[in-house]
Amino acid sequence: MSFGDEHGYGDPARPARTDDSFGGTGQTRTRLPDARGGDGYGGGRRPARSSRSLITVVGVVVLLVAAIAFANRGGGDDPAPGAGAPEGAGNPTAASGVKPVTGKNGTIPSGFARDEQGAASAAANYAVALGSDGMFNRVSRYAILDAIYVPESATKLKTVLDPAYAPAELQKLGLDAEGNPPAENIFVSRAIPVGTKVETISGDTARVSVWYTGLIGMAGPGSTDPVKTTWQTGTFDLRWQGDDWKIATDTQQTGPAPVPGDVATSTADEISKAVEQYGGFTYAR
């Protein structure tokens, strides 16, 4: 996905500006050659600057100084999570400047803070792990479940999920019994969080919803299951255990899904190269 305007994610086209940034008339001005021999670019004699023009320039400078001072203000404490939001509304996903974690459990971030941001960060990263291609191999799937679920839930899920990743089911996706794609093909499975919402948090428990888009399919010659996008919302009931947030239970539902943009579908080769060249992220909140 691209966030550039050229890819359909920017603002719609706007009409040309009809006003200057600081109170101008918006009319196009054309400087004609000076009757006394000027070249139109300052060669002729310029009239003296009027007091009104000087006042305008001073006003612009004052506005710029005020804007810079506002943008660089600091020294105060960060506002509490959700400050300024309407009562009962979910806190928006926003960058806080606080690094989410410093450790890892295998390839999965760990050591999330015991607060609202930590719970949201944990849920987003766990959604990424559960949507990864590692879930299609039994060994790596068990490692993911052990890393992000409380022990009793991890044990139960190993039994529950095994049929969903049985050889017959993997074959439908073009994978062998170990979850490997055919030669010269790349299997794509990724979850990309769009936003999080902390539904509740109290002491050792939290409920966090993660809205995310996903990629799933096979990229390569002869693929009959091309890479597609999906939209899901996962709700995670988290429990503080072992100095970290772990999933106790979770549910998934489809959507909300936006209208597809006017972007031409890429070739299998382009998708394969993109998957190989672009890695994933650690999500803060």
Side-chain angles (χ1 to χ4, degrees), residues 102-115:
T102 57
K104 280 191 175 184
N105 188 343
T107 59
I108 304 172
S110 64
F112 298 97
R114 192 178 182 179
D115 57 19

Side-chain angles (χ1 to χ4, degrees), residues 172-216:
K172 295 177 182 178
L173 297 172
L175 303 172
D176 63 19
E178 300 300 321
N180 300 311
E184 299 183 2
N185 284 258
I186 294 179
F187 178 65
V188 183
S189 182
R190 287 192 186 183
I192 307 100
V194 176
T196 62
K197 180 173 66 173
V198 177
E199 308 281 0
T200 61
I201 183 168
S202 178
D204 292 342
T205 62
R207 172 171 288 186
V208 183
S209 292
V210 182
W211 179 36
Y212 63 92
T213 185
L215 303 176
I216 183 75

Side-chain angles (χ1 to χ4, degrees), residues 67-99:
I68 294 172
F70 179 81
N72 290 287
R73 66 177 182 172
D77 294 332
D78 290 333
E87 185 176 355
N91 293 328
T93 301
S96 66
V98 178
K99 291 185 178 181

